Amino acid sequence: MTATASRCGPPAAALRLWALLVFTVALLGTVLSGTAAAHSTLTGSDPEDGAVVATAPGRVTLTFSEKVAMGDDSIRVLEPSGKRADVGELQDLCSGSVVQYGVDLRSGLPDGTYTVAWQAVSADSHPISGAFTFSIGAPSETTVALPAQKAGGGPVGALYDAGRYASYAGFIVLVGGTAFLLVCWPGGAAVRPVQRLVAYGWVTLTAATLALLMLRSPYTGSGELGDALDLGGLRAVLDTKTGAALTSRLLLLGAAALFLAVLFGAYARRGDGAGGGQAERKDLSFGLAVGGMVLAAGLAGTWALSEHPSTGRQPGVAMPVDVLHMLAVAGWLGGLATLLVALHRGSDGEGAIGPAAVRRYSQVAFGSVVVLVATGLYQSWRQVGSWTALTGTAYGQLLLVKAGLIGVLLAVAWASRRWTGLLTETVPASSHEKREAVKKGTRQDAGEAALEEDPMEGPDAGPRDVGNEDPLRAAQLARQRAAVATARRRRIRDADPARAGLRRSVLTEAAVAVLVLAVTTALTATEPGRTQEQADQARAASSTAVPDRPVDVKLPYDTGGPDGRGTVRLALDPGRSGGNTLQVFVAGPDDKPRDVPELKVSFTLDAQEIGPLPVALEPTGTGQWKARSAQLPMPGEWRIRVTVRTSDIDQTTIDKNVKIG
């Protein structure tokens, strides 16, 4: 065990640390997101779930809380026998802030229970799906089984979630590690374990991005893992916003590979140069700093442009704020992972991190936390919006957990800053230990030095016979030398109490950071509190709505011109949220039907700032107009506004509030 540990050395320890970090983030993120919902929800339908209608509706409509992407086969209406009842062409009925889609039904449908199955992709890239039933005439037996698995679930969903969390972790280590080297510890660019850590971040992010690109089609569609190799599905993904973001990320990662080659090559080789070498290193530092900032912002932007910041409230502000938030997380936690690997190396030999580098990272981490808190507060307000949503929704509760963990993390970071202050006042452990070893001249140190120089010599090695060297004896001495070297490195590393204390503090900080990252990634797959609360209110209003009853309104009008008086009668059937049939009758002063040059009708729900929603009217006879489908997305006090024009210059607008169930 000792010999194996010695052969692995610090690089293997860094690899194990990084593997544990990625595994823990993926595991905890998957567990925490298991009960999460997507960011867009179905807020209403016409007919409603479980409704029994007397006659077959002409159309089935679905209303969502946010924008979604749907295709012609996204809404399927099935007869009791399992036969398709819809014509298959999706109708886009969106108007203003109302997100609504529908499909027309075939004529002559028989009575019975019908199943509506739907699937969509929300604007922040998460797939959503569902199913419900309604009946025509009376409920009946049906051969249609409701889908047991929702979109984005199953093995494909688990793999996609793991890829998403791995991509976050890879981004943090890649960006935070390179920033740590350029800003805090330039000499670390030549340290092999640190190089490997940053390279692991690049490999993890690249592999995760490729996996997400391949899994995107089955993730939002069939849910079958074999469809990941379908080139047709891959081409369709490339035409979407998410596909474009993932492709852009891969291109940026290609440029990042060249960036790392320069950082770990030319830049690292000029670390100890003098004169012209220092000038070249300064130029390289400037170029790498500018290029690194562009690449880091571009990589962070691929998330902001394709996920939730790109939709909802204030996307023009939310997207750059999200980029700053991700960069701050990377600067803090990615730098923390790099510092942990650097401290694990100890302080013996060249390439050990010094107090100045630790002090610079402490300053960078403080600035990152300030940016993180500021951007996090804005994002919290944008996604939650109210105290009730903060405590009464899954998103708000996760946000409270994250805030508590960040509080713990800041407390541990404060302890790390104290150890950093002590570290700057102590003598480097390597010089101190070496001086003590020379002064004491103990048999142990002498034996260790001899064993390190020659595995066949030492105080107990005995005479050496090169010609008849025993292989077993040689292997035994090699293991002994490795064990002694490992023990000595650990003793020297732990000889500095400030450095040992800082290492323990940073390790604790990293452990808490893993939990923070897990909760953060879970939040990306959870419906925002503001959206969930609005959807719950809409569903509650729908469930407590008054019974359906036709709305019949008669409004007098006067345009001011000759024969400008009369009445407008509006009949809205069935007079509830969803699809309605609207008939309009216009009469003149003599109460006889009258044609007018122009007639407009719109609906506005002032309480929810919805509308005005114009209604397309078609003339059906003298003084008569009809709208086949007047869509009202939710119940409430609606204002009906009617504009009547009786001549080229004579026109008036009248309105009236009516209760829609």
Side-chain angles (χ1 to χ4, degrees):
M1 292 295 292
T2 305
T4 302
S6 177
R7 285 195 298 268
C8 293
L15 175 59
R16 290 194 298 269
L17 178 67
W18 171 237
L20 178 62
L21 177 66
V22 173
F23 174 77
T24 307
V25 169
L27 178 61
L28 292 177
T30 302
V31 171
L32 289 172
S33 65
T35 58
H39 289 185
S40 183
T41 59
L42 182 70
T43 58
S45 64
D46 184 26
E48 295 179 350
D49 184 13
V52 179
V53 296
T55 59
R59 175 182 293 170
V60 171
T61 62
L62 305 178
T63 304
F64 297 92
S65 61
E66 292 185 4
K67 293 181 180 180
V68 295
M70 306 187 81
D72 284 340
D73 203 39
S74 295
I75 302 177
R76 295 181 297 120
V77 184
L78 306 175
E79 295 182 7
S81 63
K83 182 182 177 181
R84 288 286 290 266
D86 60 278
V87 299
E89 183 178 353
L90 186 72
Q91 302 291 327
D92 187 347
L93 306 174
C94 300
S95 176
S97 60
V98 178
V99 181
Q100 191 174 77
Y101 292 88
V103 289
D104 291 335
L105 302 183
R106 294 184 290 103
S107 58
L109 294 176
D111 290 352
T113 297
Y114 288 72
T115 302
V116 181
W118 58 271
Q119 184 169 334
V121 179
S122 61
D124 57 358
S125 78
H126 295 277
I128 54 176
S129 63
F132 63 91
T133 62
F134 71 93
S135 301
I136 300 176
S140 69
E141 296 292 333
T142 177
T143 62
V144 180
L146 297 179
Q149 179 177 302
K150 292 187 177 182
V156 171
L159 289 174
Y160 195 89
D161 288 342
R164 181 187 291 122
Y165 306 139
S167 66
Y168 281 130
F171 170 83
I172 287 173
V173 172
L174 172 63
V175 173
T178 54
F180 185 90
L181 294 178
L182 289 173
V183 177
C184 305
W185 191 29
V191 176
R192 188 59 60 86
V194 175
Q195 291 178 353
R196 286 176 175 164
L197 178 69
V198 176
Y200 294 154
W202 182 91
V203 170
T204 301
L205 180 55
T206 303
T209 302
L210 286 171
L212 293 175
L213 195 59
M214 299 298 295
L215 292 170
R216 183 67 187 174
S217 178
Y219 177 67
T220 59
S222 65
E224 299 293 334
L225 187 58
D227 289 343
L229 302 178
D230 182 13
L231 294 181
L234 180 59
R235 283 194 295 269
V237 168
L238 295 177
D239 292 333
T240 65
K241 181 172 66 173
T242 301
L246 292 174
T247 304
S248 300
R249 191 180 302 167
L250 287 175
L251 294 175
L252 289 169
L253 285 170
L258 298 176
F259 174 90
L260 293 181
V262 176
L263 178 65
F264 298 147
Y267 181 79
R269 287 193 299 270
R270 288 174 173 80
D272 297 325
Q278 287 291 351
E280 292 179 8
R281 182 181 175 87
K282 185 176 181 180
D283 293 339
L284 270 177
S285 299
F286 178 78
L288 288 173
V290 174
M293 289 175 59
V294 172
L295 287 174
L299 288 171
T302 60
W303 277 280
L305 292 171
S306 61
E307 296 193 352
H308 201 268
S310 63
T311 185
R313 287 193 170 199
Q314 303 176 349
V317 177
M319 287 189 289
V321 167
D322 188 70
V323 170
L324 288 176
H325 191 80
M326 291 196 66
L327 293 178
V329 171
W332 184 14
L333 301 187
L336 187 69
T338 311
L339 177 61
L340 185 59
V341 172
L343 290 173
H344 186 80
R345 282 176 50 83
S347 58
D348 189 25
E350 296 182 0
I353 188 169
V358 179
R359 186 171 61 252
R360 282 193 292 268
Y361 168 71
S362 180
Q363 296 169 349
V364 170
F366 178 79
S368 297
V369 169
V370 172
V371 175
L372 190 65
V373 171
T375 55
L377 287 174
Y378 169 78
Q379 290 177 332
S380 300
W381 167 82
R382 182 174 178 267
Q383 305 292 6
V384 178
S386 67
W387 292 109
T388 55
L390 182 64
T391 58
T393 64
Y395 188 96
Q397 292 163 1
L398 277 175
L399 196 61
L400 291 175
V401 172
K402 179 181 176 181
L405 288 173
I406 288 180
V408 174
L409 190 58
L410 290 175
V412 179
W414 177 79
S416 297
R417 289 176 64 88
R418 289 187 61 215
W419 284 117
T420 300
L422 295 175
L423 185 67
T424 60
E425 300 171 1
T426 60
V427 179
S430 57
S431 301
H432 174 76
E433 184 70 15
K434 289 176 180 178
R435 287 199 300 269
E436 291 299 318
V438 172
K439 290 179 180 180
K440 292 182 179 179
T442 61
R443 174 182 174 84
Q444 179 185 8
D445 286 342
E448 289 176 358
L451 284 172
E452 289 180 3
E453 292 175 2
D454 191 338
M456 302 302 295
E457 293 184 1
D460 301 321
R464 178 178 179 184
D465 188 351
V466 180
N468 298 300
E469 183 177 298
D470 185 0
L472 294 178
R473 176 62 174 167
Q476 180 183 7
L477 291 176
R479 288 193 297 270
Q480 183 179 1
R481 183 185 66 169
V484 170
T486 300
R488 186 183 183 192
R489 280 197 300 269
R490 289 177 179 174
R491 190 173 66 256
I492 294 175
R493 183 187 67 186
D494 297 335
D496 185 350
R499 188 177 295 269
L502 178 62
R503 186 172 61 255
R504 290 191 297 269
S505 178
V506 169
L507 182 60
T508 305
E509 197 174 347
V512 180
V514 167
L515 297 177
V516 173
L517 182 59
V519 177
T520 300
T521 49
L523 283 169
T524 64
T526 306
E527 181 183 356
R530 184 191 297 271
T531 305
Q532 181 178 336
E533 192 173 51
Q534 291 175 351
D536 292 343
Q537 291 173 353
R539 283 190 288 266
S542 177
S543 63
T544 58
V546 297
D548 297 344
R549 61 176 184 273
V551 175
D552 200 315
V553 179
K554 193 172 185 179
L555 303 174
Y557 69 85
D558 184 0
T559 62
D563 298 326
R565 297 176 179 270
T567 58
V568 177
R569 176 171 166 258
L570 301 97
L572 190 68
D573 188 22
R576 58 179 171 84
S577 60
N580 291 266
T581 298
L582 177 65
Q583 289 183 295
V584 184
F585 306 91
V586 179
D590 53 2
D591 288 335
K592 293 182 179 181
R594 173 186 181 180
D595 282 330
V596 293
E598 185 177 13
L599 180 69
K600 296 180 180 179
V601 178
S602 66
F603 291 84
T604 303
L605 185 60
D606 294 318
Q608 299 293 334
E609 298 182 355
I610 298 177
L613 307 178
V615 179
L617 298 172
E618 298 178 359
T620 58
T622 303
Q624 298 181 19
W625 288 261
K626 184 177 182 179
R628 180 182 177 185
S629 181
Q631 297 291 331
L632 303 179
M634 63 178 61
E637 192 80 14
W638 286 85
R639 177 161 49 90
I640 303 178
R641 171 166 290 186
V642 182
T643 299
V644 182
R645 183 165 61 85
T646 57
S647 69
D648 291 340
I649 60 174
D650 299 319
Q651 176 177 304
T652 188
T653 298
I654 49 179
D655 56 27
K656 182 177 178 62
N657 291 339
V658 296
K659 182 69 175 180
I660 303 296

